[in-house]
Amino acid sequence: MLDIFRVSSHLLTAFTGHTDFVYSIDISTFNDCQLICSGSYDKTVRVWDVETSKQIQSFNKHSAWVYCAKFSPYHYYNHNQNVICSSSANKTIRFWDFKHNRQLQEFNGHNKWVGGLEFSPFNGGRYLCSGSGDNTVRLWDVETSKPLHVFNGHEYSIWCIDISPLQSNSNKSNNIGVIGGNGYTICSGSSDKTIRIWDIETTKQFIAFEGHQQALNSVKYGSNELMNTILSGSEDKSVRLWDIRSGKQIQVFNGHTSEVWAVAYSPFVTNNIDIGEISNVICSGSRDSTIRFWDIRSNKNSLHLIKDCNGILCVKFFQLKKDMKRKSDTVCDVQFVFGDINHFVSMFDFLIEFIQIYFFH
């Protein structure tokens, strides 16, 4: 293990087809086939085959821009259906069967555009959370197509949301309480500059983080040993790390020169020489056309920089299927996908030089 996080990256492929900003991407495996879905300002939802880089499906029934697109774990695990869920500025949430090219469900209830979406890690993804320009967070039952609760408290639009990760002592296929229980929470980031955390079972807000100077664009829960943290990116150009237990900010990462639209916990670690311990690595993407990697325990300069990426709006890490992995010991089989303002979904891989990489299971 070197003291410095030494990594190089290169572009593998670009998935072309969108004609405007790509706001959202998701990745999943269906019957041994790795797929990417994307949502765009061009009003379409598209599906791509990772191995061939070919578009295999496109839906254009939204009458306004699509902000978020997610594969539905509920439909796959419960009904063996290949389904994408998407949110739009036309105030709707829609479910698409991309294998049979048809719309399945439509949720109505928000009074303005719908932004971020997230499926529950418990109950087999039965519950869906959404944020909106109507200042509310809503929880939906995918099985019954009914709304369960409206969370009020934000003063302005809600662009981003996340649901706390599956707990190690829980079976994701079991019913856990009525709609969650066991301490599961929702976090939401808003144009009111705050991050709020809501208890799913009691439906009460119990934390509001303040510190960002402008709107929130991205919020993510940590997992494993970082499960009590939240990572956020904002139009104030900063990335911030928060501690849920203390209700306080831990770190601020400065370096981007434009608004930060995407944040993620990476699968990488580095050796922090200041504390003499292994430290996790986080990632951020910005409209300044850079992707930056940061030591989670240090607010010094970023560890690695990917430049000239044409305005990053969304990022996602994933691992290749076993039969697609390369044999070289110096190649880390972690792929990195991002969407940008130039209509592209692009995929990078990482070449790790003389550094041991740990994957969190």
Side-chain angles (χ1 to χ4, degrees):
M1 177 77 68
L2 286 188
D3 294 339
I4 301 175
F5 179 74
R6 297 180 59 192
V7 56
S8 63
S9 53
H10 72 282
L11 179 67
L12 285 179
T13 188
F15 302 86
T16 60
H18 283 298
T19 59
D20 216 321
F21 295 0
V22 178
Y23 278 124
S24 173
I25 49 178
D26 196 19
I27 298 144
S28 191
T29 301
F30 294 85
N31 300 321
D32 204 38
C33 182
Q34 278 188 312
L35 302 177
I36 293 173
C37 70
S38 54
S40 168
Y41 200 80
D42 66 10
K43 307 178 187 177
T44 69
V45 176
R46 299 174 189 252
V47 187
W48 321 81
D49 186 306
V50 171
E51 187 168 8
T52 66
S53 303
K54 301 293 185 181
Q55 179 181 301
I56 62 174
Q57 193 59 269
S58 177
F59 299 99
N60 60 1
K61 298 300 183 182
H62 280 297
S63 59
W65 49 261
V66 177
Y67 187 75
C68 189
K70 295 271 188 180
F71 289 110
S72 170
Y74 172 78
H75 289 87
Y76 185 70
Y77 292 117
N78 291 280
H79 302 290
N80 197 30
Q81 292 178 308
N82 299 347
V83 175
I84 294 171
C85 177
S86 59
S87 64
S88 173
N90 66 3
K91 310 176 188 178
T92 67
I93 300 169
R94 301 188 183 203
F95 292 80
W96 316 90
D97 183 334
F98 60 88
K99 184 176 182 179
H100 298 100
N101 193 24
R102 58 177 179 164
Q103 179 179 313
L104 295 180
Q105 297 161 271
E106 180 177 322
F107 292 174
N108 294 280
H110 283 295
N111 300 318
K112 291 186 178 180
W113 53 260
V114 187
L117 299 172
E118 193 67 38
F119 285 93
S120 65
F122 52 84
N123 291 45
R126 175 174 171 173
Y127 304 106
L128 178 72
C129 186
S130 60
S132 170
D134 64 12
N135 308 348
T136 69
V137 173
R138 293 178 185 247
L139 189 66
W140 311 81
D141 188 331
V142 178
E143 183 173 290
T144 64
S145 297
K146 294 182 178 179
L148 293 173
H149 189 72
V150 179
F151 299 86
N152 290 288
H154 281 295
E155 298 176 3
Y156 295 105
S157 303
I158 300 163
W159 288 101
C160 48
I161 57 170
D162 200 11
I163 300 180
S164 57
L166 185 70
Q167 298 174 12
S168 59
N169 61 348
S170 300
N171 185 334
K172 69 178 180 180
S173 64
N174 289 340
N175 288 330
I176 306 171
V178 178
I179 55 171
N182 283 12
Y184 287 102
T185 58
I186 297 167
C187 72
S188 53
S190 168
S191 294
D192 66 12
K193 310 175 190 177
T194 69
I195 302 168
R196 298 175 190 260
I197 301 181
W198 318 83
D199 187 285
I200 292 179
E201 189 170 36
T202 66
T203 69
K204 303 295 184 182
Q205 174 189 309
F206 67 92
I207 297 179
F209 290 116
E210 298 183 1
H212 279 294
Q213 302 303 307
Q214 295 186 43
L216 274 293
N217 292 323
S218 182
V219 290
K220 297 292 181 185
Y221 278 102
S223 59
N224 300 309
E225 70 270 24
L226 297 175
M227 68 179 298
N228 289 306
T229 65
I230 289 175
L231 190 61
S232 62
S234 166
E235 291 188 6
D236 66 12
K237 309 175 187 177
S238 74
V239 177
R240 298 176 190 241
L241 186 69
W242 311 84
D243 186 287
I244 298 172
R245 291 166 297 186
S246 67
K248 295 181 179 180
Q249 178 178 288
I250 304 172
Q251 291 279 17
V252 182
F253 306 92
N254 293 303
H256 284 295
T257 58
S258 187
E259 60 261 36
V260 177
W261 271 80
V263 293
Y265 292 84
S266 86
F268 307 132
V269 294
T270 187
N271 188 16
N272 187 313
I273 59 176
D274 293 332
I275 61 174
E277 294 181 7
I278 299 301
S279 187
N280 298 90
V281 175
I282 59 172
C283 171
S284 57
S286 168
R287 286 289 295 268
D288 65 10
S289 299
T290 69
I291 299 168
R292 295 174 184 261
F293 292 81
W294 313 84
D295 181 337
I296 205 168
R297 297 192 183 185
S298 172
N299 57 6
K300 297 179 180 179
N301 294 336
S302 54
L303 299 170
H304 179 62
L305 176 67
I306 302 175
K307 298 187 291 185
D308 303 320
C309 296
N310 300 317
I312 307 301
L313 300 178
C314 49
V315 299
K316 192 86 172 181
F317 288 94
F318 73 103
Q319 286 185 265
L320 286 174
K321 294 189 307 179
K322 290 183 179 180
D323 59 356
M324 293 175 62
K325 292 183 179 181
R326 288 161 293 186
K327 296 181 179 179
S328 172
D329 291 335
T330 62
V331 176
C332 172
D333 291 307
V334 172
Q335 312 302 305
F336 179 73
V337 182
F338 64 85
D340 64 29
I341 64 173
N342 275 8
H343 323 157
F344 295 125
V345 176
S346 302
M347 184 166 71
F348 274 72
D349 74 349
F350 295 91
L351 303 178
I352 308 301
E353 302 174 349
F354 313 114
I355 184 169
Q356 185 175 0
I357 301 299
Y358 296 82
F359 295 97
F360 304 133
H361 298 287

